Every structure is written in C-alpha cells, then in structure tokens.
Amino acid sequence: MTDSHISKKTPEDWLLSATAAEKKQGRFKVFLGYAPGVGKTFSMLSEGVRRKSRGEDVVIGIVETHGRAGTAEVAAQLEGVPRREINYKGTLFSEMDVDAILARKPQIALIDELAHTNVEGSRNAKRYEDVFLLLDANIDVLTTVNIQHIESLTPRIQSLTGITVRETVPDWVLDRADEIVISDLTPEALATRMRRGDIYPAERVERALSNFFRRGNLIALREMALQRVTKAVDRTLDDYVKRKQLGPHFTVAEKVAVCISANPASRDLIARGARLAEAIDAELFVLHVDTGRKPSSPEEARALDGNIQFAQNLGAKVVHLKGTNVATAAATFVKQNRVTQAIFGRSALTGIRKYLYFFDIQKFMSQAPHVDLHIVTQDTR
C-alpha cells in the first residue's frame, strides 16, 4: 500500500478517537435556573447549535418554547425527534419518544424540563428516568431544571412562595450530573423581561409579578440556586483533588469539623461550631470516633445519642469514624475532606491525662497541619 492510501490523522484526531473508544457513558449536563424565563432552555439550545457547528450529531429530544420567539428561532436550527402521541382517558398527550431517540442514537440529545412527569402509558414515569436510559446508551444529555423542583428544597420553597410544587427531581439525580451550569439573571432583569412580555402573555404579567415573581421570592430562589451550584463545584473540586492526590491545602470552600464525645459539654462545642459555620458560610461536620470502648453506663450512651441528635437538629453532617486513636482518625478525615476549621474541647485535666491530651493534640496538628485548630475549654461541672 502506498503512502497516498494511508489515512493520515492529526494528533487531535487520535485524541478524539481514543476518547470515543474509552467513553462508556453519556455526559450529563444540567442548566439550572431559579425561575421561568432566566434563559435555561435558550442556553441549552445555543450550546446544541454550537456543538452541531463543530460537526457533532445533535438532536432535540423535547423542548418547550412556551411561545417565546427567540427560543423557537434557535430550536429551528436543530433536528427534532418526533414526539410520541399517547391516548390517556380519551385525551391525546404529546410526550418525548425515548425509544425513537435510542433508535436514532445521536451523540447529544437536548431534553427540556427534567422534572416532568410522563403521562401514564409512557415507558417511564419520570423524564429523568428517560434521561438515564440515554446516558446508559452513551448519548450525552443536556437538560434544564428550576431550583424549586429539587426534592429536598421543595418544602422550603413552598413555604416561601406559597406555591405548591407538584413535580420534583430527587437530589441524587443532580448529584449524578457531570456538569451543572446556572442560567442567571438578576431579579430586576427578570422582572423587566416579564413586563416586556418575553416570558408570559401580557394578561398574566401583573399577576405573576405579585405572586411567584415577587422580588423577595426571586432573591431567595436565586440564592438557593447559587448555593446548589456552589455545592456541585466543590464536589467536582473534591473529586479532582482526590484523583490528582493534591494536598489538603487545595481548597476553596470553608468546612468546619467538631470532634465530640459522650461528654454533655460537647453540646457547647457543637453550638460553637454551628455559629462559626454560619458566620463563614461553611459546611458543618460533627465527628465521633469509635475507639471500641463500650459506654461505661446507660447515662453515657444517652448523652452521646443526645449530642448526635443536637448536631443533626442544627443541620450538621454527623460522621462516625472508627480508630484506636481519636487524633489520628480525626486528622485523616479532615485531610481527606479538606476541612479548614477543626474544634476540640478541653476539660480541666491533671496528671497523666493532661499529658496524653496534649500529646494527642500535637499528633493531630502534625498530621493535619493545614487546618485551623480551635481548642475550647469545657465546663464539666
């Protein structure tokens, strides 16, 4: 065979082919918003158009334009997989046809409104279940969801806005996302879009602005969305640090860990940790190290249970560790989880117990040198 018949690949071609060979699962990207009209669907479609222009095979699984001309104009630039018509109790419903997308097997599918509940007779009850079928088939999925549809936040949002949220997505679904992007507008800009008629018809505008779209609601919802994305970014950073085996100093978000025992005074430590975590907007961990020693009395066991319940009531993540040495177990945890602030209690110790306590503190400091250590004197009366 002559050289002219040999396929020549650039280094980039080889990299792409190697990546494709290794890829076993579709990538899952979520466009998260805090209210209708912030631009989630438009951003998702715009990425689809960009990726199509790079030669990738992109289809629309389902997109709801809600009569918005700009969204419809962008959607028209992409191939759409025909929807499936389902007759339910004499009414015809139009749903995404997940089987048709699987048969079409594109590289990328755009799927709007992740929290949607499918009509009875569909392959799956929820749209996010359809999404995971596509991901398992090695199809990348771009999707959209609003913060009020995340299951753990629903009660808080219903209390805040007074509006019942009927369709939700379990938190673990977003935890599976490879990437979460916030589609953000200031509440003022969103209200301006609303008054221009970009989101709802004119007759619905004033009612929406005085209900769900009240400025206070929008500020709170936006804050929740930003916090959710921050958590996702920090989790991504955690994964990166562990994969690259970077040092515990490689951190952005503050994290507070409080080490407790069965001592009733541990409640003061937990409360101190909760105040610190709130002041610096940090995640709060409460650590209990099981060294194998049995409680000396039923009262001691009840005191430990009470401390743990108190920590949970304050929103702390309680972590049970096992180890023969409290200092070593705690130091290992704070290094692995990149904790930035650690709190230990100190009671009025004398003799050999005082020596052992300071020996353990020194051991903790040497094994976790990048954490800020707070030692709080405890009143044991």
Side-chain angles (χ1 to χ4, degrees):
M1 183 178 290
T2 64
D3 288 345
S4 62
H5 291 93
I6 297 175
S7 171
K8 293 183 179 180
K9 286 187 177 182
T10 66
E12 291 78 10
D13 291 333
W14 284 111
L15 179 60
L16 285 171
S17 61
T19 304
E22 293 171 4
K23 190 165 173 274
K24 304 290 186 186
Q25 180 94 2
R27 285 186 58 80
F28 184 27
K29 183 170 183 175
V30 177
F31 290 84
L32 176 68
Y34 68 90
V38 296
K40 303 177 303 298
T41 302
F42 188 88
S43 296
M44 177 184 70
L45 288 166
S46 297
E47 177 163 335
V49 170
R50 287 195 301 274
R51 293 176 72 166
K52 178 187 175 184
S53 71
R54 297 199 297 261
E56 297 179 74
D57 184 15
V58 183
V59 301
I60 292 175
I62 191 163
V63 159
E64 304 293 351
T65 64
H66 299 290
R68 296 165 194 163
T71 303
E73 185 179 333
V74 181
Q77 299 177 48
L78 296 168
E79 175 191 343
V81 174
R83 301 187 188 190
R84 180 185 175 198
E85 301 294 330
I86 299 176
N87 189 311
Y88 177 64
K89 295 185 177 179
T91 302
L92 208 58
F93 291 87
S94 177
E95 292 283 12
M96 182 178 77
D97 193 338
V98 67
D99 292 306
I101 301 172
L102 288 167
R104 169 66 174 73
K105 199 163 177 58
Q107 289 175 281
I108 304 150
L110 277 52
I111 298 175
D112 215 2
E113 299 184 358
L114 183 65
H116 175 76
T117 301
N118 295 329
V119 71
E120 192 173 318
S122 301
R123 177 166 177 172
N124 294 302
K126 297 289 290 187
R127 185 165 290 167
Y128 68 77
E129 295 174 307
D130 293 334
V131 164
F132 284 112
L133 280 178
L134 300 178
L135 293 170
D136 288 342
N138 206 10
I139 297 170
D140 292 351
V141 173
L142 310 184
T143 191
T144 66
V145 70
N146 273 330
I147 193 70
Q148 66 264 29
H149 296 291
I150 297 176
E151 194 171 57
S152 67
L153 297 177
T154 297
R156 184 176 164 196
I157 289 169
Q158 289 184 169
S159 174
L160 175 76
T161 65
I163 293 173
T164 301
V165 180
R166 292 185 174 84
E167 296 185 312
T168 62
V169 175
D171 290 56
W172 62 262
V173 172
L174 267 71
D175 291 340
R176 291 273 300 274
D178 297 291
E179 188 177 355
I180 299 178
V181 177
I182 189 164
S183 297
D184 192 31
L185 275 180
T186 65
E188 293 76 15
L190 185 57
T192 299
R193 290 199 67 202
M194 177 77 72
R195 291 190 177 94
R196 281 203 311 253
D198 293 345
I199 301 172
Y200 293 143
E203 63 271 14
R204 294 179 58 189
V205 169
E206 289 308 317
R207 182 180 176 188
L209 286 171
S210 61
N211 288 284
F212 184 86
F213 284 81
R214 290 197 306 271
R215 187 169 184 272
N217 284 357
L218 296 180
I219 291 170
L221 290 166
R222 187 185 187 211
E223 176 70 16
M224 290 182 208
L226 290 168
Q227 287 174 353
R228 190 63 181 76
V229 172
T230 299
K231 280 179 63 178
V233 170
D234 195 50
R235 188 178 70 248
T236 302
L237 182 59
D238 278 337
D239 293 341
Y240 178 81
V241 168
K242 289 172 183 175
R243 191 169 66 251
K244 297 295 184 180
Q245 298 183 330
L246 301 177
H249 61 284
F250 199 90
T251 189
V252 176
E254 293 276 1
K255 297 179 182 179
V256 176
V258 181
C259 200
I260 67 164
S261 66
N263 189 333
S266 287
R267 290 198 179 202
D268 292 336
L269 295 182
I270 297 166
R272 178 76 67 94
R275 290 196 297 272
L276 176 60
E278 183 177 5
I280 62 176
D281 193 23
E283 189 173 3
L284 177 61
F285 298 92
V286 169
L287 315 181
H288 175 253
V289 181
D290 180 3
T291 60
R293 185 184 71 83
K294 299 293 183 185
S296 60
S297 65
E299 290 75 17
E300 182 178 335
R302 283 196 295 271
L304 178 59
D305 289 341
N307 291 340
I308 290 171
Q309 185 61 57
F310 181 67
Q312 291 172 335
N313 291 345
L314 291 180
K317 182 176 181 180
V318 177
V319 180
H320 297 279
L321 305 172
K322 287 187 178 293
T324 56
N325 183 270
V326 172
T328 297
T332 299
F333 177 86
V334 302
K335 282 192 297 182
Q336 290 177 345
N337 293 274
R338 297 183 296 115
V339 169
T340 57
Q341 313 277 338
I343 299 177
F344 283 84
R346 180 177 71 87
S347 54
L349 300 174
T350 58
I352 188 66
R353 292 181 64 197
K354 181 177 180 180
Y355 170 79
L356 292 174
Y357 172 82
F358 285 110
F359 177 78
D360 278 346
I361 290 295
Q362 185 61 41
K363 179 184 290 186
F364 175 86
M365 292 172 63
S366 65
Q367 293 180 4
H370 297 289
V371 68
D372 291 342
L373 180 61
H374 305 258
I375 300 176
V376 179
T377 300
Q378 296 171 286
D379 185 357
T380 57
R381 290 176 295 176

